[in-house]
Amino acid sequence: MKKLFIKTYGCQMNVYDSDRMTDVLAPLGYVPTGTADGADMVILNTCHIREKASEKVFSELGRLRMMKDRARDQQGRDVTIAVAGCVAQAEGEEITRRAPWVDIVVGPQTYHRLPELVTKADPAARHRVIDTEFPEEVKFDSLPGEHAPRGPAAFLSVQEGCDKFCAFCVVPYTRGAEFSRPVNGVLAEARRLVAAGTCEITLLGQNVNAYHGEAADGSSWSLARLIRELAEIDGLTRIRYTTSHPLDMEDDLIMAHRDVPQLMPYLHLPVQSGSDHILTEMNRRHTNDVYLRIIDRLREARPDIAFSGDFIVGFPGERDRDFADTLSLIDKVGYASAYSFKYSPRPGTPAAGSDEQVPEEVKAERLEALQQLINAQQFAFNKRTEGQVMDVLIERNGGRDGQMAGRTPYMQAVNVAADEALLGKIVSCQITEAKQNSVVGVIQ
Ligand code: 5AD
Ligand code: SF4
């Protein structure tokens, strides 16, 4: 038995990929472990979306170097170090130059080849391997059918890559062109997850609502069609999907929110900015008005739906009045939560070369103002749920004895006094107290 530690950065797709890497390496005798110390192999599954995320990898690699040296000097043991994910894809050469103690560099499209790569790499002989191809064969076809149980709420990647080319974003370069998994593979994986105890599935894709997977009869299925089919699986009580682009919010998907009770009334629909000028510069290809109309239509279809979003402040050329438009859009939508970021110039993306970069202090001020507004909206949302009775999926042990933690349909974290036997069950809870980032519930 060999111990495998995977540290995951970035988005949920990376969380899914890390689980799949564990599956791929299981036949070689690798068993997951909770810390890097004592592991025989450490994989950093990295994120390249913002500079901070990338830089973290290099500081972590510094720590791993010391660990590797200690293991060799004190125990005569070789530790294999691998860098996977989007930094590996974008900066493979740079990694081997700055961190020559890394044995394997593998991109998001080739981690199904890990067993081969592990065999080829020889830490003792300092033989390194790099695999950051966009291969002909389809990764999903080569991943093992079997996998470890994923728990009550699981991720399922159905789409990867992006053809939208927003001016700030590295995804089209790190994850490549848009690709949808064929329907049958997705359904089979969903059925396996449910058979192993999962009752909530979040369908993942960088542009998930652009999904157009090939069905058995050769036709192409939209995400809405896929969701309707998944809803037929007995025991699959909750379906979510993320992340979506407003332009791909087709009618049939909006109607699925009306018709499919398993589809949770909570949608992550990033808009990035509320200014039409900035939206154009970002190459988002829609206006602030188009976004608001989509929100309205979703609310008509599913009146209790709540939204989360992503915002970038300080995109090149963003003036005070553009930022004011963003605050005004946030006011109009009323989010249940949102993620917000300072614009980070990424190598190779169009906006990185703009000479209208916004000073760091201005970005910091705007981020602070935006986060205050979002925090207020989030608290107001949590407050509105006080007194309501909601279904809560119990997902794990809570912080304290006798306490379990779960999620409402709106992804609110709920702490509830409950027995461990309720793990994986959906229970009816009354929300008794709202906090900033969670709520307290009492089982009915
Ligand atoms: N700088 C800051 N934030 C970014 N995002 C993507 N690229 C950048 C960048 N260069 C944000 C967007 C996206 C989320 C995943 O990360 O808001 O929706
Ligand atoms: Fe980060 Fe994007 Fe890669 Fe996810 S796909 S890990 S967000 S760069």
Side-chain angles (χ1 to χ4, degrees):
M1 185 186 96
K2 287 170 272 185
K3 289 188 193 158
L4 168 68
F5 176 67
I6 306 185
K7 183 160 180 166
T8 308
Y9 301 83
C11 64
Q12 292 112 324
M13 301 208 59
N14 269 15
V15 175
Y16 174 86
D17 290 341
S18 292
D19 282 342
R20 300 304 271 149
M21 289 179 207
T22 309
D23 296 335
V24 168
L25 289 169
L28 272 67
Y30 283 96
V31 174
T33 175
T35 65
D37 284 321
D40 299 288
M41 177 161 174
V42 178
I43 303 178
L44 301 183
N45 193 12
T46 61
C47 173
H48 200 240
I49 199 96
R50 285 170 291 275
E51 193 179 350
K52 247 197 208 154
S54 299
E55 278 307 314
K56 273 190 206 154
V57 175
F58 287 100
S59 50
E60 186 63 29
L61 282 175
R63 279 192 288 276
L64 289 178
R65 173 195 206 165
M66 289 191 282
M67 199 197 79
K68 185 173 172 131
D69 287 348
R70 260 198 324 271
R72 186 180 298 128
D73 297 346
Q74 296 174 5
Q75 302 163 2
R77 195 167 59 84
D78 280 309
V79 181
T80 304
I81 296 182
V83 180
C86 296
V87 178
Q89 188 65 45
E91 297 184 26
E93 297 292 332
E94 170 93 352
I95 292 168
T96 51
R97 198 177 56 73
R98 276 175 71 178
W101 56 94
V102 168
D103 304 293
I104 297 172
V105 174
V106 59
Q109 306 311 333
T110 43
Y111 65 77
H112 57 289
R113 297 179 182 162
L114 266 171
E116 256 173 78
L117 300 176
V118 172
T119 314
K120 275 195 207 148
D122 181 355
R126 296 180 177 243
H127 177 70
R128 272 177 278 140
V129 288
I130 304 189
D131 188 348
T132 51
E133 259 188 74
F134 286 106
E136 287 293 314
E137 85 266 16
V138 175
K139 170 182 74 193
F140 291 107
D141 293 344
S142 314
L143 290 170
E146 293 311 308
H147 48 75
R150 298 279 186 251
F155 295 130
L156 202 177
S157 280
V158 300
Q159 181 278 335
E160 271 192 89
C162 184
D163 296 338
K164 295 273 188 310
F165 289 93
C166 296
F168 50 81
C169 190
V170 286
V171 166
Y173 314 98
T174 53
R175 294 267 174 172
E178 214 180 284
F179 167 80
S180 295
R181 278 178 78 178
V183 168
N184 272 351
V186 173
L187 293 177
E189 191 167 331
R191 289 194 189 102
R192 277 198 303 270
L193 286 167
V194 173
T198 293
C199 59
E200 171 177 312
I201 289 181
T202 302
L203 304 173
L204 297 180
Q206 264 98 23
N207 215 330
V208 72
N209 59 343
Y211 178 85
H212 55 277
E214 190 181 328
D217 62 2
S219 65
S220 169
W221 280 23
S222 65
L223 185 68
R225 179 82 182 82
L226 181 69
I227 287 170
R228 286 174 194 270
E229 190 70 22
L230 286 166
E232 298 292 319
I233 299 177
D234 237 10
L236 180 55
T237 34
R238 290 181 163 192
I239 302 172
R240 306 178 187 274
Y241 61 93
T242 197
T243 286
S244 297
H245 191 288
L247 278 190
D248 293 312
M249 221 54 228
E250 303 280 348
D251 287 351
D252 67 339
L253 188 53
I254 295 178
M255 289 306 111
H257 280 276
R258 182 193 63 188
D259 301 337
V260 181
Q262 293 91 331
L263 190 53
M264 289 292 100
Y266 181 79
L267 180 63
H268 184 62
L269 194 60
V271 64
Q272 315 295 354
S273 167
S275 150
D276 285 344
H277 161 62
I278 293 298
L279 287 170
T280 306
E281 295 297 306
M282 285 178 164
N283 192 32
R284 292 288 290 178
R285 291 183 278 170
H286 64 81
T287 58
N288 125 60
D289 199 49
V290 164
Y291 179 79
L292 289 171
R293 266 194 288 131
I294 294 166
I295 296 274
D296 283 346
R297 291 183 50 221
L298 282 156
R299 284 197 163 124
E300 271 165 40
R302 182 83 205 233
D304 61 342
I305 198 167
F307 296 97
S308 75
D310 286 340
F311 295 92
I312 296 177
V313 299
F315 183 80
E318 187 186 67
R319 303 156 299 189
D320 283 340
R321 65 172 191 271
D322 297 310
F323 179 61
D325 286 346
T326 300
L327 295 182
S328 143
L329 176 133
I330 294 172
D331 250 345
K332 285 181 195 144
V333 174
Y335 287 91
S337 82
Y339 303 91
S340 47
F341 314 97
K342 288 192 262 186
Y343 170 69
S344 166
R346 304 308 291 132
T349 58
S354 163
D355 52 13
E356 289 187 276
Q357 301 295 333
V358 173
E360 201 47 39
E361 322 78 82
V362 177
K363 286 187 199 173
E365 262 169 43
R366 289 180 185 165
L367 187 69
E368 168 77 26
L370 189 146
Q371 288 185 340
Q372 265 187 26
L373 178 58
I374 291 289
N375 286 345
Q377 291 195 345
Q378 183 176 349
F379 186 63
F381 179 82
N382 287 346
K383 205 73 193 157
R384 278 200 299 281
T385 61
E386 268 184 7
Q388 290 185 29
V389 175
M390 285 197 232
D391 283 346
V392 173
L393 172 59
I394 305 291
E395 291 178 31
R396 61 190 158 272
N397 282 303
R400 293 188 218 125
D401 250 9
Q403 207 180 50
M404 300 296 285
R407 300 239 172 221
T408 68
Y410 301 106
M411 287 296 273
Q412 293 160 293
V414 193
N415 289 307
V416 54
D419 195 88
E420 215 172 329
L422 291 177
L423 189 68
K425 301 270 185 311
I426 291 187
V427 294
S428 183
C429 283
Q430 180 166 50
I431 307 304
T432 53
E433 189 190 343
K435 301 186 175 182
Q436 178 63 48
N437 295 314
S438 63
V439 295
V440 180
V442 173
I443 294 179
Q444 290 295 287

